[in-house]
Amino acid sequence: MTAQTIPPRVLLIGAGSIGAVYLYQLQQAGCEVTAVCRSNYAHVKENGFKLLSVRYGNVTYRPSRTIRSLSECADEIFDFILVCTKSFPGSKPSLPEMLATVIRNKSTAIVLAQNGIMIEEEVAQAFPENPILSGVIYLPAVQTEPGTIEYRETLNLLELGTYPADAPADHKAAALNFADLMVKGGGNAKVLEDIQVARWSKLLLNAAWNPICALTLCSDGDFLLSSEFAEELAWEVMLEVIALADKVGIPGITVEVAESKFSIAKRRAKEGTGREMSMLQDIRQGRMFEVEAIIGNAVRLGRRHGLKMPRLETFYALLKGRYEAQLKELRHGSALK
């Protein structure tokens, strides 16, 4: 077999709702995908995935190989490692510690398809020669039960860029190659010169709507209809993100961009099509949620720069309380088993 006929080899870490859709796209593009599954391992190993979607129709498929632990593929070399797990800064083992078991080649590109800001540095420090590709995801899919993915909208966008933005040419080439695979597989992907602008643009949405939905158990649209104070609260959180981006030198995070993002929730409120954000989905299903990557990193960055963000700081304190309560519930449940 010649090098031209060898399919790209991808290791997918985190085959939940987003990971499962990307698995399908990469296989449609001709990739060989090994998927690390956790809570859905037994079902996926036996039955594969069932994708119920507007974009791709209703399809059943399975990874090229399904594994439960990274140790099962420690001797293999991959072209790309796609990380679709939630981002938990400070967790043990850390993401770099987990990746160290499977990275055997400095040409292996690490794709961080995760929410939040300031999530790339620890990976880049651990693997300074490997391409670090930072990805911002717009893909409204939900895993309703193990192995079943509902994807009821056509929205599908992966914004991709190197970390840092001035990475070597071969790192930028890896970003272009991965974006080409996603497009070939039926998705939409584009490579940006500075991915941090896109990360902070999405933070406008995540910092406002994830805490609000998680703490109120409302969809974004339902919250806007709940009182005359609702719109003001969500908007002023976005203004705090704009002020922080300006303080730390992230360009393009403007009132106009925030208004465009905010208009999505306003439209949903009018149409009665509000969306439950990922933090609320996690709380409903008893899972841990990304309080540090989305909110904690932002408020700590603000404090370092002497910027007061009272609404985000309040959200952070309340969400940390909910996070610790969720953690106790999970530990109690595990102790009873």
Side-chain angles (χ1 to χ4, degrees), residues 21 24 51-59 139-141 149-156 186:
V21 176
Y24 179 76
L51 176 63
L52 310 175
S53 76
V54 173
R55 191 179 186 97
Y56 301 116
N58 298 340
V59 294
L139 202 168
I149 311 299
E150 291 193 6
Y151 175 25
R152 301 300 189 183
E153 299 182 35
T154 59
L155 177 62
N156 183 309

Side-chain angles (χ1 to χ4, degrees), residues 56-73:
Y56 301 116
N58 298 340
V59 294
T60 301
Y61 56 102
R62 61 179 63 246
S64 308
R65 184 183 175 199
T66 305
I67 60 177
R68 194 194 298 270
S69 168
L70 289 172
S71 63
E72 297 177 53
C73 59

Side-chain angles (χ1 to χ4, degrees), residues 204-223:
L204 287 167
L205 285 173
N206 276 335
W209 290 118
N210 261 308
I212 285 171
C213 293
L215 294 168
T216 65
L217 306 184
C218 288
S219 70
D220 54 356
D222 287 342
F223 177 75

Side-chain angles (χ1 to χ4, degrees), residues 165-186:
D166 60 352
D170 59 324
H171 294 201
K172 294 183 182 293
L176 290 168
N177 289 341
F178 192 79
D180 286 345
L181 289 171
M182 298 300 271
V183 172
K184 185 178 178 182

Side-chain angles (χ1 to χ4, degrees), residues 19-31:
V21 176
Y22 284 166
L23 164 66
Y24 179 76
Q25 291 178 196
L26 289 166
Q27 288 187 321
Q28 291 299 108
C31 297

